[in-house]
Amino acid sequence: MVGDMSAEEMPGDMTDGFHLVVEALKLNGVDTIYGVAGIPITDLLRLAQAEGIRYFGFRHEQSAGNAAAIAGYLTQKPGVCMTVSAPGFLNGMVALANATTNCFPMILISGSSDRAIVDLEQGDYEEMDQLAAARPYAKAAYRINRPQDIGIGIARAIRAASSGRPGGVYLDLTAEVLGSALDVEAAKKSLVKVVDPAPPQPPALEAVRRAFDLLANAQRPLVILGKGAAYAQADKQIREFIEKTGMPFLPMSMAKGILPDDHPQSAAAARSYAIGNADVVMLVGARLNWLLSHGRPPLWSEGTRFIQVDISPTEIDSNRAIAAPVVGDIRSVFFALHATLAMSLSPKVRETLPQVPEMKRQAAWMDEIGKRKQRNIERMAARLNADPSPMNFSSALRAVRNALATQPDVYVVNEGANTLDFGRNIIDMDQPRHRLDSGTWGVMGIGMGYAIGAAAVTGKPVVAIEGDSAFGFSGMEIETICRYELPVVTVIFNNNGVYRGDAPGSAYSPTGLLRDARYEKIIEAFGGAGYHATDTPGLTKALSEALASGKPALINAVIDPTAGTESGHIQSLNPRSAVAQKK
Ligand code: ADP
Ligand code: TPW
C-alpha cells in the first residue's frame, strides 16, 4: 500500500504522484481534507492522513463538498474535497457549483479513469469526461496530466479559488498521474508554494471619492451588508465606518453579526421601509439578485441611487445602474473610506480641501426608522411570545433563541423553508460569520456538511436548525458527526412534511413526510444523545443540556403539522397558470 510508505521508504531516488499531491497540499498549508474514499484515491487519502493532514470521511460527497466550501468561507483558504471518479465526482459537483454560486473558495479534487479509454468512450470503470462536466459549474477547471505538473496544478487551483471573487475550482487527477514515478530531485523542484494567493485589490481613489460624495450628500442613506462583507473579515473597519457616519444598515442573512443584530443602527426590523425610502444605498459584498428583488420596484424606489462595493467588476450594473461603483476588496475599500471620512470630519481639513464634503448624521431619517422598528417589534412580540401546543415555528425558535442567548460562540447552521425564514428573523447573531445558511440558491442539503465543516475549522459548538425535509438531504452524516465526536447539535423542526404536514389520515401528498417520525432515534443508533421535545421549556432545556455536554446530539422538536406556509416567505415564486381558473 502506497499509504503505508513514507517518502524515505520509496525505492531509490524515486517518488510518485500520490506523495507529490500530499506534499504540494502540505506546502500550501492545506491541513484538512473532506471526502469519500474509493478507486483511485483511497491510497492518496491514507497517505495524506499518515502525513499529518486531518481527514474527514463522509457518507456522501455532497456533504463532504459542503464542509469544504464552508471551511473556505470561514478561513479564506480554499477547503479541499476529494472524491472518486464519475458518480462520486458528480455528487461532489453539487457542492462545488453551490460554492461557486455563493463565492466560497473550494477545490474539488477527483480521481479520474483512463483517459485513452474515456476519450474514445470505450466503457472504462466509472467513465466520464469529468473536466468537461465540471467546467460550466466551476470558477475554473484544470486537469493534471503529468506528475511533474502536480505542483503547478495545485498552485493554480489554490490561486483560482481564493483570488478575486472566490469560487469553486475543479482539479482532475488521473489515476495514471497518481501512480506515476518521478525522480525525487525533479519532484522537489516541481512543487510551488503560492505567494499571496488572494492579493489585496485596492480601489481607485476616484471611485472612492465618487462614492463618498454620494453618501455624504444623501439624506436617507442605507448600507446593505452581504456575505462578501462577512467573508472579507473587515469587521472592525465596517463597524467603525457605520458607527462614525451614523447610517442605518441592513445585513443579508449570512452578514448578520458583522454588527450585532441588536445594534441601534440596524434597520432589519424596518427593512421594507428602509429599502423603499433610502435615497442612496451602499451595497457592500451583496449582489442585487433575487434576494434583494433585483433592486427593482415595488420594493425599491426608481429614484434610489446605488454605490456598490464589490471585487468583481462585472457585478456592477448587473441588474440596475450603479451610480458609484467601487471595485476592490472590501478591506482595502474601507481603509480608503476611513481615510476620506477622517478628512471629512475634520473642519480644518475641509477648509484647505473644500472638495471633501462634510459627512452629516441624518437624524430625522434614523428617527423615522427607529419608530417603525419599534412598531414592528411590538407587533411581532405577541406572535413571538405566544406558547401554542403543539409548538409553531415562532415559539420553537424562541425556545432555541433562549438556549443560545448565553452561548455567543455557537455557530448556527439553518436550512428549510419556514424554519429558515423564521430562523433568520428570530435568531439574533452578535458575531460575524456565525450564521451559515441555504445562501444564494436557497439550497437544501447543506446542513450537516456545513455543521461538520464549521466544527472542524473552528473547534466551536454548532447548532444546526433544520426543517425535517431539509435534514433528510444530509441526515446520514449524523454518523459522521458521531464518529468524529463533533460538538454539533441538530434541532429538527418536525412538522411531518416539506413546508408542513398532510391532514391526519389522508394519503401522503407530494409534500408529505412520515407522520410523527422519531428522528432522535437516528443519533441513538450511533451513540449520540437523542431528545424528543414537545414544548418550549423542554426544547430550551434539551438544547442547553446538549450544548453543555459538548457531544453530538439530535433534538426532535415536534411542531404543529399545520404550521408554516407553502415555500415559506417566497410563495410568490411558485409559477401560477396564466389561464383564468374556473371556480
Ligand atoms: P448576499 O447573498 O449576502 O447578499 P452575495 O453572495 O450575493 O451576498 O454577494 C457577495 C458578493 O461579495 C459577490 O458579488 C462577491 O463578488 C463579493 N465579494 C466576495 N468577497 C469579496 C471581497 N473580499 N471584497 C469585495 N467583494 C467581495
Ligand atoms: C436541493 C425545494 C425548498 S424548501 C424545502 C424544499 C424541498 C424543504 C422545506 O421543508 P422543511 O422546512 O425543510 O421541512 P419547513 O420549515 O418549511 O417545514 N431540493 C433542493 N433544494 C431545494 N430548495 C428544494 C429541493 C425546497
Side-chain angles (χ1 to χ4, degrees):
M1 285 281 149
V2 176
D4 299 333
M5 218 186 279
S6 74
E8 294 80 53
E9 291 167 319
M10 295 289 291
D13 294 332
M14 300 304 278
T15 185
D16 59 23
F18 293 102
H19 284 86
L20 262 177
V21 171
V22 173
E23 279 169 37
L25 291 174
K26 279 177 68 174
L27 181 68
N28 284 290
V30 173
D31 56 10
T32 309
I33 294 173
Y34 311 86
V36 176
I39 298 171
I41 61 157
T42 315
D43 275 348
L44 180 63
L45 298 176
R46 284 200 188 102
L47 183 67
Q49 194 178 45
E51 294 288 321
I53 295 183
R54 255 191 333 170
Y55 176 68
F56 286 93
F58 283 70
R59 305 304 297 260
H60 192 287
E61 292 86 352
Q62 192 176 313
S63 290
N66 283 328
I70 213 64
Y73 170 71
L74 290 169
T75 62
Q76 295 182 326
K77 288 191 207 153
V80 173
C81 174
M82 284 196 190
T83 69
V84 304
S85 336
F89 154 79
L90 278 178
N91 286 342
M93 268 316 295
V94 174
L96 192 78
N98 185 59
T100 306
T101 300
N102 283 284
C103 316
F104 299 161
M106 168 188 171
I107 302 172
L108 175 69
I109 303 181
S110 276
S112 58
S113 303
D114 190 326
R115 277 197 65 194
I117 302 175
V118 172
D119 288 352
L120 275 175
E121 298 183 9
Q122 293 173 314
D124 203 3
Y125 167 70
E126 298 195 341
E127 174 180 295
M128 175 177 254
D129 183 356
Q130 295 169 192
L131 185 64
R135 193 155 271 143
Y137 308 107
K139 182 181 172 192
Y142 307 114
R143 175 155 51 214
I144 298 174
N145 286 299
R146 307 181 302 177
Q148 62 267 38
D149 292 334
I150 287 173
I152 205 82
I154 286 178
R156 235 165 135 48
I158 290 172
R159 194 175 285 286
S162 42
S163 60
R165 170 186 278 179
V169 174
Y170 176 61
L171 190 59
D172 196 90
L173 266 184
T174 64
E176 197 186 342
V177 160
L178 283 173
S180 303
L182 194 69
D183 173 76
V184 168
E185 274 312 304
K188 221 180 245 167
K189 282 195 204 130
S190 74
L191 292 178
V192 177
K193 184 164 166 51
V194 180
V195 178
D196 200 5
Q201 290 185 219
L205 191 59
E206 203 185 321
V208 175
R209 286 277 163 83
R210 191 188 296 123
F212 193 88
D213 279 2
L214 199 55
L215 214 50
N217 288 310
Q219 253 118 59
R220 296 179 306 282
L222 174 67
V223 180
I224 296 189
L225 301 172
K227 58 178 158 335
Y231 176 79
Q233 301 197 10
D235 315 325
K236 191 165 165 277
Q237 292 91 331
I238 292 172
R239 182 175 181 153
E240 280 180 10
F241 187 80
I242 288 174
E243 289 182 340
K244 281 190 185 161
T245 57
M247 288 173 192
F249 71 94
L250 269 180
M252 299 302 286
S253 67
M254 281 180 62
K256 279 158 69 80
I258 297 177
L259 288 90
D261 277 328
D262 61 3
H263 194 283
Q265 286 167 253
S266 167
R271 185 177 188 271
S272 307
Y273 175 78
I275 287 179
N277 291 279
D279 61 350
V280 173
V281 169
M282 178 160 79
L283 298 162
V284 182
R287 286 169 283 186
L288 276 181
N289 58 15
W290 69 280
L291 286 158
L292 281 171
S293 305
H294 304 281
R296 295 180 196 139
L299 181 64
W300 296 83
S301 98
E302 294 279 9
T304 305
R305 290 197 292 164
F306 284 90
I307 298 162
Q308 184 160 30
V309 181
D310 205 291
I311 203 156
S312 170
T314 52
E315 192 52 45
I316 311 299
D317 298 332
S318 58
N319 283 274
R320 221 186 128 144
I322 302 297
V326 187
V327 175
D329 75 279
I330 286 164
R331 241 186 123 78
S332 304
V333 169
F334 273 79
F335 193 77
L337 282 172
H338 271 294
T340 315
L341 182 63
M343 294 196 282
S344 159
L345 295 178
S346 155
K348 231 181 179 170
V349 171
R350 282 203 319 279
E351 239 170 64
T352 47
L353 288 173
Q355 70 271 31
V356 178
E358 185 183 358
M359 179 73 77
K360 295 192 208 86
R361 286 180 175 253
Q362 301 299 340
W365 169 234
M366 280 312 289
D367 279 356
E368 194 51 39
I369 289 177
K371 273 190 221 143
R372 308 223 169 211
K373 262 172 75 173
Q374 196 51 34
R375 227 179 291 157
N376 289 342
I377 289 168
E378 279 161 19
R379 206 177 300 152
M380 276 165 53
R383 196 170 356 135
L384 192 59
N385 294 325
D387 213 0
S389 178
M391 295 185 280
N392 62 17
F393 287 97
S394 298
S395 68
L397 281 159
R398 187 192 69 229
V400 169
R401 189 183 70 176
N402 290 347
L404 294 181
T406 54
Q407 311 270 348
D409 272 357
V410 165
Y411 281 77
V412 172
V413 171
N414 193 192
E415 62 175 337
N418 295 280
T419 309
L420 179 80
D421 291 336
F422 281 89
R424 186 173 51 234
N425 292 336
I426 295 174
I427 305 294
D428 281 348
M429 306 306 302
D430 61 8
Q431 294 212 48
R433 294 171 295 285
H434 275 53
R435 184 188 157 82
L436 314 167
D437 67 26
S438 299
T440 304
W441 263 349
V443 70
M444 298 298 112
I446 48 87
M448 299 301 102
Y450 279 9
I452 294 167
V457 294
T458 69
K460 296 281 195 283
V462 180
V463 172
I465 308 172
E466 302 272 307
D468 49 351
S469 162
F471 170 72
F473 289 74
S474 65
M476 194 61 202
E477 304 301 343
I478 288 289
E479 187 273 330
T480 313
I481 291 168
C482 290
R483 184 163 18 105
Y484 295 109
E485 298 182 59
L486 297 171
V488 175
V489 184
T490 303
V491 185
I492 298 179
F493 277 39
N494 183 4
N495 63 352
N496 303 351
V498 175
Y499 314 132
R500 56 182 163 194
D502 291 323
S506 62
Y508 284 111
S509 74
T511 55
L513 293 174
L514 187 77
R515 295 179 177 91
D516 307 321
R518 298 297 293 261
Y519 289 104
E520 74 279 16
K521 306 274 182 208
I522 297 177
I523 200 164
E524 286 169 5
F526 305 121
Y531 297 86
H532 187 230
T534 54
D535 56 21
T536 50
L539 179 50
T540 302
K541 182 165 176 284
L543 182 51
S544 304
E545 210 176 286
L547 281 171
S549 79
K551 299 223 168 80
L554 189 155
I555 303 171
N556 178 11
V558 179
I559 309 288
D560 186 345
T562 65
T565 53
E566 172 119 354
S567 307
H569 293 182
I570 52 174
Q571 196 161 32
S572 60
L573 299 184
N574 281 305
R576 263 183 227 297
S577 169
V579 179
Q581 300 287 321
K582 280 191 187 149
K583 287 256 156 122

